[in-house]
Amino acid sequence: MIQSYVLWALLGMAGYSLMTLFVKLAERSGNVTTYQVLAVSTTIVAIFAIAVVAWRGELKTLLFELETPPLLWAIAGGVALTVAVSSLFHALALGPANIVVPVYGMFIVGGAVLGVVVLGEAMPWHRVIGLIAAVVGVVLISI
């Protein structure tokens, strides 16, 4: 049985794949800038996220009771996500998706390494080999 987090990860992968296509199509028209596409896309994400928080009855906690350390980590995550997504959108405007997306996808390696170094998560040898294979694959795609 597949773990639920794997299903969610697969859904996220499908969403990111479609997002790449849609961003390239929007920017290819030449009628919009990267940051116009980014503004529309991220506004939709923000509205959806706030709606989910409200639907779950967590809006009061979010606005008035969020503890300082989690709030600061959430803000840091927002800054990092802003850099990541705006950089991806700009890279897609400048180059081919079949190179930009694999290079951008190296966040998988960065995230896995940070999980080990900062969070103390386990990294068995077979995962190390998988990450090395991912890096080799990206290099082969990019040359």
Side-chain angles (χ1 to χ4, degrees), residues 5-105:
Y5 59 84
V6 173
L7 294 174
W8 281 105
L10 289 170
L11 181 62
M13 180 272 307
Y16 252 112
S17 297
L18 290 170
M19 179 273 307
T20 300
L21 171 66
F22 299 148
V23 167
K24 285 296 287 186
L25 289 171
E27 291 175 344
R28 183 181 283 176
S29 73
N31 297 327
V32 295
T33 68
T34 299
Y35 291 96
Q36 288 173 321
V37 175
L38 180 64
V40 170
S41 300
T42 56
T43 299
I44 292 168
V45 171
I47 290 168
F48 177 79
I50 292 168
V52 169
V53 167
W55 178 71
R56 293 175 53 148
E58 300 169 345
L59 199 53
K60 179 182 174 195
T61 304
L62 175 66
L63 297 175
F64 302 111
E65 300 170 12
L66 196 60
E67 297 176 20
T68 302
L71 175 61
L72 293 177
W73 288 121
I75 291 169
V79 170
L81 184 61
T82 299
V83 170
V85 174
S86 60
S87 298
L88 172 62
F89 278 45
H90 193 67
L92 286 169
L94 298 174
N98 63 359
I99 294 176
V100 169
V101 173
V103 171
Y104 177 81

Side-chain angles (χ1 to χ4, degrees), residues 69-140:
L71 175 61
L72 293 177
W73 288 121
I75 291 169
V79 170
L81 184 61
T82 299
V83 170
V85 174
S86 60
S87 298
L88 172 62
F89 278 45
H90 193 67
L92 286 169
L94 298 174
N98 63 359
I99 294 176
V100 169
V101 173
V103 171
Y104 177 81
M106 291 300 295
F107 77 85
I108 295 167
V109 174
V113 169
L114 288 172
V116 171
V117 173
V118 177
L119 302 175
E121 297 176 349
M123 179 65 77
W125 65 269
H126 65 278
R127 289 187 190 153
V128 172
I129 292 171
L131 290 174
I132 291 169
V135 171
V136 170
V138 168
V139 169
L140 291 174

